[in-house]
Amino acid sequence: MIVADKKPIEEIIEYLKGKQNILILGCNECVTVCEAGGKKEVGVLASALRMYFQNQGEDVKIDEVTLERQCDHEYLEEIRDRVDQYDAVVSLACGVGVQFMAEKYHSTHIYPGVNTCFLGATEERGLWTERCQACGQCILATTGGICPVSRCAKRLLNGPCGGSTTGKCEVKKGDEEIDCGWQLIVDRLQALDRLDEYETLCPVKDWSTDRAGGPRKVIREDLKQ
Amino acid sequence: MTDVKTPSKLEKILAAGHLAVTSECGPPRGSDPEVITKKAEMIKDHVDAINITDNQTSVTRMCSLASCIHLKQMGLEPVLQMVTRDRNRIALQSDILGAASFDIYNILCLSGDHQSFGDCPQGQNVHDIDSMQLIQTVRHMRDEGKFLGGDDIKRPPQMFVGAAANPFADPFEIRVPRLAKKIAAGVEFIQTQCIYNLDKFEKWMELARDRGLHEKVYILAGLTPLKSAGMAKYMKNRVPGMDVPDDVVKRMADTPKEKQSEEGIKICIESILRLKEVQGVAGFHIMAIEWEEKVPGIVEETGLYPRPTLE
């Protein structure tokens, strides 16, 4: 899923200065699972903002809506008849939802309420970790099902580098140690009795299907009407 | 391995069966060329080639290529270090051609330290290709005379292609397979990570010999003399992929402070003398970090001086 994290409320308040009618718009998909932008978080943010504006002596109306999805026309249509009454919408969807809103409702100010972080998994409640960078050409078949593009800080296709120590990457996130992606790959190949495959050189990668190729599309003629 | 494929002096010395000696100079954090030329002056008569580091530890410095050109203009033999962190395949190939236009005949292909260690931790890293693929790229440009894109190169680069190897990083079980992989990619010489754990290095060499790898690539053993007990502890605890055994740290710490640098040199000399006897060691890469003036003494004390001259 797409993992997002809440933006600091101070940043959101900054966007909303001088606004009178605000909609906090949640999304029932990924951001609900990672507890950044679902119905519950919409409620929490709306309450905090109400309290803030009340303390400032400002009369600001704040509504709450959570859609099934913000990345589909059909669900975004559900707010068409009311969106014009707001002078600001804070979308707690991922960057896709925020942009889809902006494209659809041209005259409404849309602000992001979360930072979209990565494609990842829930390891445990409160801990999400990255697994995929959507490079567009999956190489997991050759790496034992562990992705060096997303799990190696240098996205080495023929890793590990010399900085791998006792299974950990030379890069740390604060005090948090990161697993060396290539140690995981080697361990996995070993467990599968496929360590000999380690010596197969991974050729120079075609990154044109990655971010480098510009905004991407998937077109399925068989599904188009 | 005796076929010489490039005009590289380093390659010729190795092919002739001499133990090669290389060293390195780190470019300055400024544009004064004398920083490089002065360092080079100190070591030029005692080494066969001089590596120029490429923004080592991800700290922005004068570029490796320009520094190599300064050495070339002094009539010396540079080894252009090139990391894949900062440049995509266009820039890498372009810089290789630029270096070749100055008849720089040696290149060391590296991935580079992560940018989070340097002065621009908020910067992007590129890693369009990795160090193995850079080896392949240089070999392709040299041997096929073609760009990665397939077009012909007019006057292809003539470079002796090197890479690093760290016998001490983890996982140990793939350290030798990784060397084999670099050889398969086309590497011709290796400069290793600094060796303090000689037993482990010798074990790695033994495993490499078991696969005949020492006959497919020239392995230069990397050495960095310790300046102080503090440096030994720092290297042990803080530098990723570095293996400094406790007895080395203790030997430095047990030495009175004013004698520690001398002791560090002594350890370095003893290490070289021991490693000279290891089958498959083709030479030494002495990285005296901001201590270049010590290189001549180390080379002389280990019987590696005078350096061979070529016809």
Side-chain angles (χ1 to χ4, degrees):
Chain A
M1 65 171 167
I2 295 171
V3 177
D5 199 6
K6 292 191 266 190
K7 272 194 182 289
I9 191 160
E10 297 77 14
E11 187 180 334
I12 297 172
I13 287 169
E14 200 59 35
Y15 306 141
L16 299 176
K17 279 201 172 139
K19 308 289 188 204
Q20 307 293 319
N21 286 298
I22 298 165
L23 173 66
I24 311 294
L25 189 64
C27 177
N28 215 8
E29 293 284 349
C30 312
V31 289
T32 296
V33 182
C34 63
E35 303 188 42
K39 194 172 179 190
K40 187 182 71 188
E41 292 74 32
V42 168
V44 171
L45 177 62
S47 304
L49 290 172
R50 281 184 203 113
M51 213 180 303
Y52 170 80
F53 287 116
Q54 203 171 7
N55 285 340
Q56 300 291 308
E58 293 176 41
D59 185 20
V60 177
K61 181 169 159 280
I62 298 176
D63 288 346
E64 306 171 23
V65 171
T66 297
L67 298 176
E68 195 53 37
R69 278 201 283 285
Q70 290 188 34
C71 53
D72 255 324
H73 287 294
E74 102 182 71
Y75 297 110
L76 274 188
E77 280 299 325
E78 290 174 12
I79 55 164
R80 180 168 293 280
D81 57 348
R82 59 188 295 188
V83 74
D84 285 343
Q85 60 183 281
Y86 301 108
D87 49 12
V89 175
V90 177
S91 166
L92 299 194
C94 68
V96 180
V98 178
Q99 292 184 69
F100 224 44
M101 268 294 293
E103 289 167 33
K104 207 168 184 67
Y105 301 116
H106 297 260
S107 56
T108 311
H109 293 279
I110 314 284
Y111 299 103
V114 302
N115 290 318
T116 306
C117 301
F118 49 78
L119 302 182
T122 310
E123 295 224 22
E124 58 189 73
R125 189 162 179 222
L127 176 63
W128 293 272
T129 52
E130 183 168 16
R131 287 294 182 279
C132 180
Q133 292 203 347
C135 72
Q137 288 202 46
C138 192
I139 55 166
L140 286 170
T142 60
T143 55
I146 291 161
C147 175
V149 178
S150 55
R151 307 290 300 270
C152 169
K154 301 176 186 172
R155 65 175 189 187
L156 301 181
L157 298 178
N158 296 285
C161 72
S164 179
T165 310
T166 58
K168 299 298 173 189
C169 178
E170 65 180 20
V171 178
K172 289 184 177 62
K173 294 272 180 203
D175 287 336
E176 283 281 309
E177 290 203 300
I178 308 169
D179 289 330
C180 165
W182 272 97
Q183 173 83 54
L184 299 175
I185 292 170
V186 167
D187 290 349
R188 179 100 176 113
L189 289 176
Q190 208 158 21
L192 296 169
D193 201 19
R194 280 170 49 189
L195 196 57
D196 54 318
E197 288 177 32
Y198 171 77
E199 286 190 40
T200 309
L201 272 163
C202 180
V204 171
K205 187 168 164 69
D206 174 0
W207 292 109
S208 66
T209 57
D210 185 67
R211 179 208 61 78
R216 293 170 280 178
K217 275 183 188 173
V218 172
I219 303 172
R220 286 276 307 275
E221 293 296 347
D222 57 324
L223 299 175
K224 283 172 113 179
Q225 287 162 4
Chain B
M1 222 159 54
T2 47
D3 291 355
V4 174
K5 298 193 184 92
T6 73
S8 160
K9 176 181 156 194
L10 177 61
E11 183 183 14
K12 286 177 190 153
I13 284 173
L14 287 162
H18 301 292
L19 282 172
V21 179
T22 57
S23 186
E24 70 171 31
C25 291
R29 302 208 71 206
S31 62
D32 183 0
E34 277 195 19
V35 178
I36 281 290
T37 53
K38 275 186 182 157
K39 283 180 179 177
E41 276 297 336
M42 290 180 207
I43 60 176
K44 68 180 172 56
D45 297 327
H46 290 79
V47 300
D48 306 315
I50 300 170
N51 287 44
I52 300 284
T53 48
D54 181 4
N55 296 295
Q56 74 271 25
T57 63
S58 304
V59 173
T60 315
R61 295 169 180 276
M62 186 194 289
C63 73
S64 177
L65 175 51
S67 307
C68 283
I69 294 167
H70 289 302
L71 294 193
K72 195 75 196 178
Q73 287 171 343
M74 294 170 75
L76 304 181
E77 174 91 353
V79 179
L80 176 72
Q81 293 197 187
M82 198 174 260
V83 303
T84 60
R85 177 190 61 223
D86 308 321
R87 279 162 289 199
N88 71 359
R89 63 191 77 178
I90 302 172
L92 290 166
Q93 292 180 97
S94 168
D95 281 357
I96 289 165
L97 291 185
S101 77
F102 283 94
D103 292 333
I104 289 166
Y105 295 131
N106 309 285
I107 185 167
L108 193 78
C109 304
L110 306 164
S111 58
D113 295 312
H114 193 267
Q115 72 278 7
S116 59
F117 296 103
D119 65 338
C120 297
Q122 296 181 338
Q124 278 277 10
N125 57 14
V126 179
H127 298 297
D128 178 17
I129 63 177
D130 65 21
S131 60
M132 295 246 185
Q133 295 163 344
L134 181 57
I135 296 167
Q136 286 182 306
T137 301
V138 187
R139 287 296 303 266
H140 180 74
M141 292 173 77
R142 183 188 87 189
D143 299 343
E144 311 300 323
K146 286 187 189 300
F147 290 104
L148 285 178
D151 292 340
D152 290 338
I153 298 173
K154 295 188 182 84
R155 193 177 186 265
Q158 292 184 289
M159 287 182 178
F160 185 42
V161 181
N166 186 352
F168 311 107
D170 292 316
F172 187 70
E173 60 268 35
I174 55 109
R175 284 294 123 199
V176 172
R178 186 160 175 76
L179 175 64
K181 202 167 172 176
K182 286 195 175 176
I183 293 168
V187 79
E188 297 166 312
F189 73 97
I190 289 286
Q191 291 170 322
T192 76
Q193 174 66 287
C194 320
I195 302 163
Y196 299 103
N197 187 340
L198 276 71
D199 293 340
K200 195 163 180 182
F201 174 78
E202 285 171 350
K203 180 74 194 159
W204 180 77
M205 278 303 304
E206 186 190 325
L207 294 170
R209 282 197 307 272
D210 288 347
R211 292 185 56 169
L213 300 181
H214 65 304
E215 288 167 350
K216 294 178 179 162
V217 70
Y218 298 108
I219 297 170
L220 276 62
L223 281 307
T224 290
L226 294 165
K227 276 183 187 172
S228 64
M231 178 179 173
K233 283 177 199 153
Y234 180 83
M235 298 276 253
K236 180 182 175 68
N237 300 320
R238 305 294 291 277
V239 181
M242 191 74 75
D243 182 349
V244 187
D246 291 332
D247 60 324
V248 173
V249 177
K250 186 170 184 304
R251 182 169 160 188
M252 289 298 288
D254 288 349
T255 305
K257 226 177 173 92
E258 66 281 5
K259 296 255 182 186
Q260 282 177 0
S261 66
E262 208 177 294
E263 195 66 18
I265 299 287
K266 220 185 270 180
I267 293 172
C268 183
I269 290 168
E270 288 168 19
S271 301
I272 292 176
L273 291 173
R274 177 168 154 187
L275 296 176
K276 274 173 90 174
E277 306 305 319
V278 175
Q279 194 196 347
V281 170
F284 295 93
H285 181 50
I286 304 166
M287 298 163 273
I289 303 161
E290 298 302 320
W291 215 16
E292 288 80 4
E293 68 270 25
K294 294 293 177 188
V295 172
I298 294 168
V299 175
E300 287 174 18
E301 291 289 322
T302 48
L304 294 165
Y305 187 80
R307 299 307 311 147
T309 46
L310 295 170
E311 311 286 295

